[in-house]
Amino acid sequence: MNDTVYLVGFFCAIAIGFWLGRRDKRKKVRKSKERLSKEYFIGLNYLLNEQTNEAIDTFIKALETNPDSQETFDTCIALGRLFCKRGEVDRAIRVHQSLLARPSLTKKQSLMVQLELSRDYYSAGLLDRSEGLLTQLVEVNAGFQVEALELLLAIYQQEKEWLLAIEIGKKLLKNNVVSYSNLVAHFYCELAEEQVAKSNTTEGREYLKQALKYNKQCVRASLVLGKLEYSQGNLKESLKALQKIYNQDPNYISESVPLLEELRLEQSGSVQKSVNSYLQKCLKDYPSVAIVLSLAKEIEMKQGAKDAGKFIAEQLARRPSLRGLNQLIDIHIGIAEGKSKKNLGLLRELTRKLSDGKPLYRCINCGFSGQELHWQCPSCQHWGEVKPIHGVEGQ
């Protein structure tokens, strides 16, 4: 009887001890998670307030608390991004490489780390390594395909691998990323300009055809096609290509004016008449100083400098322009004499100083400005966003 009581008591003691141990363990785990969660959100708060150093210190402390939790995984990802953002790419790579080496990662987590690592390699300029990881991610197609394709596209643009960039762009279009049709069109234009420079006009024309297929509003394709047709003596086709700009994006009409003037000088009465008629239409609907000056040249050639000056003065009264004023002064200098000519020369020197160095183009996305037209903005890397400046100091 006593043995039975002792035996029951022994097992009860074991059970109670086991229960107390489990309870203490749960408390420790809960406290650990609560501490991790607390540190994690403190780190996020630092991050939101752009206190990067404090955020990194907090995240590192959180990693030491619980190395195998989902919160730890998220923390490692955030920590790597912080390092990369600060320019400490080597540290970002080490964080993500150590995370990738953990056997406890799920397949989805592993792929996510590979994507982050490919971003690190890209930021470090290790494009081959980044491309290798991204190619694998695209083949797996496990939820990160669009992000991988977009980064691959950035790599091929940087390397000027336009055919590969077009291939990636088409894959993004299949993923319903419609905005990439504009990029594909520009990539075809890059190829077209390369072929035209090599006198491969047939290939160049085919690439331009593809550019307009992917983006009917591609002004660049129309400009390049206009130049190509002109170089081949196809005057009417050249004019037809340039006239498309009127409906594509009138902001760029001024870019077509120099070639329109070349067409007007050709010994083709119908083309000359069509060019002048088109410029008059543009002046009415989308006026710019380039159009005004072009029409003034025609007036000066046919009617004389005084009529050309009168025309410019009338247009300046409606739309003031520094470039227009410069041309008007030049005309009057040409017909003035004596002291008047000297005074006009002084005025012209002053307006020249005012206009020198003024930007002619500005990116509507980031505000970058300069004196040359870049189809890809040097600052924000967007395509087709750099446009001629309009107004007193522009067009």
Side-chain angles (χ1 to χ4, degrees):
M1 182 67 177
N2 289 337
D3 291 341
T4 303
V5 172
Y6 288 140
L7 190 60
V8 171
F10 175 73
F11 280 111
C12 285
I14 291 176
I16 292 169
F18 180 76
W19 178 78
L20 289 173
R22 292 274 296 187
R23 188 184 66 175
D24 290 341
K25 186 177 181 180
R26 281 197 298 269
K27 284 183 178 179
K28 288 180 180 179
V29 171
R30 187 169 61 252
K31 286 181 180 179
S32 175
K33 287 184 176 180
E34 287 174 353
R35 186 163 60 252
L36 174 62
S37 180
K38 181 180 178 182
E39 290 169 346
Y40 185 71
F41 284 108
I42 290 173
L44 285 178
N45 185 58
Y46 281 134
L47 188 57
L48 289 170
N49 289 305
E50 298 184 356
Q51 295 174 269
T52 312
N53 291 329
E54 291 84 350
I56 288 174
D57 292 340
T58 304
F59 283 149
I60 290 174
K61 190 182 294 183
L63 289 175
E64 295 170 351
T65 305
N66 195 341
D68 296 315
S69 69
Q70 177 64 39
E71 288 88 348
T72 300
F73 175 82
D74 295 335
T75 301
C76 283
I77 294 294
L79 187 58
R81 288 177 180 174
L82 276 173
F83 283 137
C84 197
K85 183 179 179 181
R86 292 204 329 173
E88 300 179 58
V89 184
D90 290 342
R91 296 183 74 181
I93 291 173
R94 286 198 297 272
V95 168
H96 290 135
Q97 282 179 336
S98 64
L99 187 59
L100 191 61
R102 292 183 180 178
S104 59
L105 292 182
T106 65
K107 182 179 180 180
K108 184 176 180 180
Q109 287 176 329
S110 178
L111 294 172
M112 187 176 179
V113 177
Q114 289 180 56
L115 180 62
E116 293 298 325
L117 195 53
S118 66
R119 288 194 179 113
D120 297 338
Y121 288 144
Y122 176 77
S123 298
L126 304 172
L127 302 185
D128 289 342
R129 291 189 185 182
S130 181
E131 182 184 353
L133 283 174
L134 292 168
T135 302
Q136 294 176 19
L137 284 171
V138 170
E139 291 174 355
V140 172
N141 189 14
F144 301 103
Q145 190 176 41
V146 171
E147 292 94 328
L149 287 171
E150 288 177 336
L151 194 50
L152 267 177
L153 190 66
I155 290 172
Y156 293 142
Q157 287 182 71
Q158 191 168 325
E159 295 179 332
K160 299 188 184 301
E161 294 283 355
W162 304 121
L163 286 173
L164 291 173
I166 287 170
E167 182 183 341
I168 298 300
K170 289 179 179 178
K171 287 181 178 179
L172 283 163
L173 286 170
K174 288 180 180 178
N175 281 275
N176 296 319
V177 189
V178 182
S179 60
Y180 283 95
S181 59
N182 177 53
L183 270 71
V184 171
H186 275 286
F187 299 156
Y188 273 119
C189 287
E190 290 284 343
L191 290 171
E193 289 183 338
E194 288 178 1
Q195 293 304 314
V196 170
K198 297 175 183 177
S199 299
N200 297 331
T201 55
T202 302
E203 292 86 345
R205 190 178 281 106
E206 182 57 33
Y207 282 137
L208 293 171
K209 181 180 177 182
Q210 290 297 316
L212 289 168
K213 173 186 173 183
Y214 278 92
N215 183 11
K216 293 180 180 180
Q217 304 304 110
C218 185
V219 170
R220 182 184 184 184
S222 295
L223 279 170
V224 177
L225 184 59
K227 293 175 184 177
L228 173 58
E229 298 295 2
Y230 178 77
S231 69
Q232 297 298 298
N234 303 322
L235 305 186
K236 290 184 178 179
E237 291 301 315
S238 176
L239 178 57
K240 183 180 177 181
L242 296 178
Q243 287 176 325
K244 287 182 179 179
I245 299 171
Y246 177 91
N247 292 315
Q248 290 173 328
D249 191 339
N251 287 297
Y252 290 100
I253 290 175
S254 57
E255 295 302 306
S256 67
V257 168
L259 185 54
L260 288 169
E261 291 181 347
E262 293 293 327
L263 286 168
R264 192 170 59 192
L265 292 173
E266 294 292 333
Q267 299 302 314
S268 173
S270 61
V271 172
Q272 291 175 354
K273 185 177 179 180
S274 297
V275 169
N276 285 326
S277 176
Y278 174 63
L279 287 172
Q280 290 286 354
K281 178 183 177 182
C282 291
L283 180 63
K284 178 183 176 183
D285 298 336
Y286 304 109
S288 72
V289 67
I291 298 171
V292 170
L293 297 183
S294 180
L295 289 170
K297 285 182 183 178
E298 184 73 1
I299 293 171
E300 184 175 7
M301 185 176 66
K302 292 182 177 180
Q303 300 170 221
K306 286 186 177 180
D307 285 342
K310 183 180 178 181
F311 171 74
I312 294 175
E314 289 173 352
Q315 296 301 318
L316 285 175
R318 298 175 190 171
R319 288 171 296 275
S321 164
L322 191 55
R323 283 181 60 200
L325 178 60
N326 289 341
Q327 185 63 31
L328 180 61
I329 295 172
D330 287 340
I331 287 175
H332 282 283
I333 287 175
I335 59 179
E337 296 179 357
K339 190 175 181 179
S340 295
K341 189 168 186 173
K342 183 180 179 181
N343 290 337
L344 286 170
L346 293 172
L347 180 61
R348 182 65 179 87
E349 181 64 19
L350 175 61
T351 58
R352 183 191 65 77
K353 290 180 179 179
L354 286 173
S355 58
D356 281 354
K358 295 290 184 181
L360 301 175
Y361 303 92
R362 180 173 292 115
C363 176
I364 62 173
N365 181 65
C366 71
F368 169 86
S369 60
Q371 293 188 317
E372 293 182 14
L373 174 61
H374 298 275
W375 291 111
Q376 184 183 27
C377 177
S379 178
C380 66
Q381 306 301 309
H382 283 219
W383 289 87
E385 302 286 3
V386 178
K387 300 189 178 187
I389 296 172
H390 292 266
V392 175
E393 296 180 352
Q395 289 294 341

